[in-house]
């Protein structure tokens, strides 16, 4: 596809989307964009966002995520067409890990997908010690017929709608801990819950999912990785919403 044929749906103020078409058509785009990705994303560790320094910084970052989501939709990011079985280390499910997206309520799945590609997959494929260094990115996971980089098995909107993205036999890269990822599934509330609790209907949906699994532990992301606040400060404690997930 030539530059002239691409029409962007979103409007961009902080970047010129056409300037990125060429780099994203290269299978190692994430190496070519490494300085940019490090500046805006790569110090992401276990749930805390990099603190933004200015509105311009945040504006560019948000638009870049939007651009990646739009390019993914238009199949304009070079990705692997096939690759290794990334789920071969899957183990029986022992843990359900609860997350929040830490984004405005009901952020579209395309954005969560773009963030997964940028923050989870690109760093792994960029690590020079990794088997997959410099290779086209491959997740082995598909959702609605397209490659997905979403790390969660279930995502729940505030109105209770459930998006079932990963299957039980697929490893989600969600906990920041491979040993936990291998034997867990992840449920993510599509909301910003640092200081909030999920809606009643979203909690009900999560409880229905949890009920389907027998002999599993339900843990907040912060309980498996103390570096993160996820899924928020109101999850644990005497009146924490974790209790509501566990009542029948
Ligand atoms: Zn989390």
């Amino acid at each position: 596809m030539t530059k002239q044929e691409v029409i962007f749906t979103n409007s961009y103020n902080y970047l010129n989307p056409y300037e990125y078409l060429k780099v994203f058509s290269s299978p190692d785009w994430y190496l070519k964009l490494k300085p940019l990705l490090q500046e805006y994303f790569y110090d992401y560790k276990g749930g805390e966002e990099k603190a933004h320094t200015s509105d311009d910084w945040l504006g560019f970052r948000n638009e870049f995520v939007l651009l990646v989501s739009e390019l993914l939709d238009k199949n304009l990011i070079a990705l692997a067409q096939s690759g290794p079985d990334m789920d071969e280390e899957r183990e029986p499910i022992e843990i359900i890990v609860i997350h929040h997206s830490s984004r405005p309520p009901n952020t579209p799945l395309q954005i969560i997908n773009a963030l997964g590609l940028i923050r989870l997959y690109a760093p792994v494929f960029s690590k020079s010690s990794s088997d997959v260094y410099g290779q086209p990115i491959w997740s082995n996971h598909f959702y609605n017929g397209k490659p997905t980089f979403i790390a969660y098995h279930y995502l729940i909107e505030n109105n209770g709608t459930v998006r079932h993205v990963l299957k039980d036999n697929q490893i989600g890269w969600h906990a920041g801990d491979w040993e936990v990822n291998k034997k867990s599934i992840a449920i993510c509330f599509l909301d910003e819950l640092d200081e909030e609790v999920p809606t009643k209907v979203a909690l009900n949906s999560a409880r229905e999912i949890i009920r389907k699994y027998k002999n599993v532990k339900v843990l907040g992301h912060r309980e498996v990785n103390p570096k993160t606040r996820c899924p928020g400060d109101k999850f644990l404690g005497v009146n924490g919403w974790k209790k509501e997930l566990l009542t029948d």
Side-chain angles (χ1 to χ4, degrees):
M1 192 178 291
T2 64
K3 194 171 157 173
Q4 287 76 17
E5 287 170 320
V6 179
I7 295 167
F8 286 95
T9 325
N10 299 298
S11 57
Y12 296 89
N13 301 306
Y14 292 88
L15 57 81
N16 175 359
Y18 293 97
E19 280 178 10
Y20 291 89
L21 286 176
K22 188 159 178 268
V23 70
F24 276 112
S25 70
S26 170
D28 62 348
W29 54 268
Y30 53 89
L31 293 180
K32 296 192 160 76
L33 291 172
K34 201 166 180 179
L36 184 155
L37 295 173
Q38 278 174 326
E39 164 66 16
Y40 290 92
F41 303 98
Y42 273 5
D43 76 338
Y44 173 83
K45 291 223 171 38
E48 294 299 330
E49 296 283 343
K50 184 168 178 175
H52 68 274
T53 48
S54 67
D55 288 349
D56 281 352
W57 186 94
L58 196 62
F60 180 90
R61 184 185 192 280
N62 286 341
E63 277 196 358
F64 188 81
V65 174
L66 190 64
L67 174 67
V68 170
S69 77
E70 188 166 359
L71 292 175
L72 277 172
D73 271 356
K74 292 176 155 62
N75 300 317
L76 290 173
I77 298 185
L79 298 168
Q81 299 304 307
S82 61
D85 178 5
M86 312 290 264
D87 300 311
E88 61 183 2
E89 293 180 46
R90 188 59 162 157
E91 292 175 8
I93 299 162
E94 291 175 17
I95 307 169
I96 296 177
V97 182
I98 307 297
H99 300 266
H100 71 141
S101 61
S102 195
R103 300 269 134 195
N106 303 335
T107 293
L109 252 53
Q110 290 97 318
I111 296 289
I112 308 292
N113 193 29
L115 285 166
L117 177 62
I118 297 167
R119 293 201 305 210
L120 303 173
Y121 282 84
V124 168
F125 282 70
S126 300
K127 212 176 274 170
S128 52
S129 59
S130 155
D131 289 354
V132 291
Y133 173 80
Q135 300 293 309
I137 294 183
W138 166 252
S139 71
N140 200 39
H141 300 158
F142 295 85
Y143 181 60
N144 289 341
K146 296 190 76 168
T148 189
F149 306 95
I150 291 176
Y152 312 109
H153 294 75
Y154 298 92
L155 297 100
I156 303 177
E157 294 175 12
N158 280 357
N159 66 4
T161 303
V162 175
R163 308 282 172 204
H164 188 177
V165 173
L166 297 184
K167 300 180 187 79
D168 284 0
N169 62 359
Q170 295 178 324
I171 303 176
W173 296 14
H174 60 93
D177 179 327
W178 188 246
E179 291 308 310
V180 174
N181 289 346
K182 286 196 295 193
K183 57 185 179 189
S184 64
I185 60 158
I187 298 176
C188 179
F189 289 87
L190 283 168
D191 204 349
E192 161 58 81
L193 301 174
D194 275 344
E195 326 265 343
E196 306 291 330
V197 300
T199 63
K200 281 273 170 259
V201 281
L203 275 171
N204 283 340
S205 294
R207 199 159 41 220
E208 275 172 31
I209 296 165
I210 291 167
R211 275 202 201 117
K212 290 186 203 151
Y213 294 86
K214 306 293 169 207
N215 306 316
V216 295
K217 257 188 287 191
V218 175
L219 296 171
H221 189 186
R222 58 190 297 155
E223 294 177 274
V224 296
N225 183 350
K227 279 191 219 146
T228 178
R229 272 172 97 179
C230 175
D233 293 344
K234 297 198 169 173
F235 181 70
L236 298 173
V238 197
N239 298 313
W241 54 272
K242 178 177 182 178
K243 287 196 170 159
E244 290 187 55
L245 288 179
L246 303 176
T247 50
D248 279 317

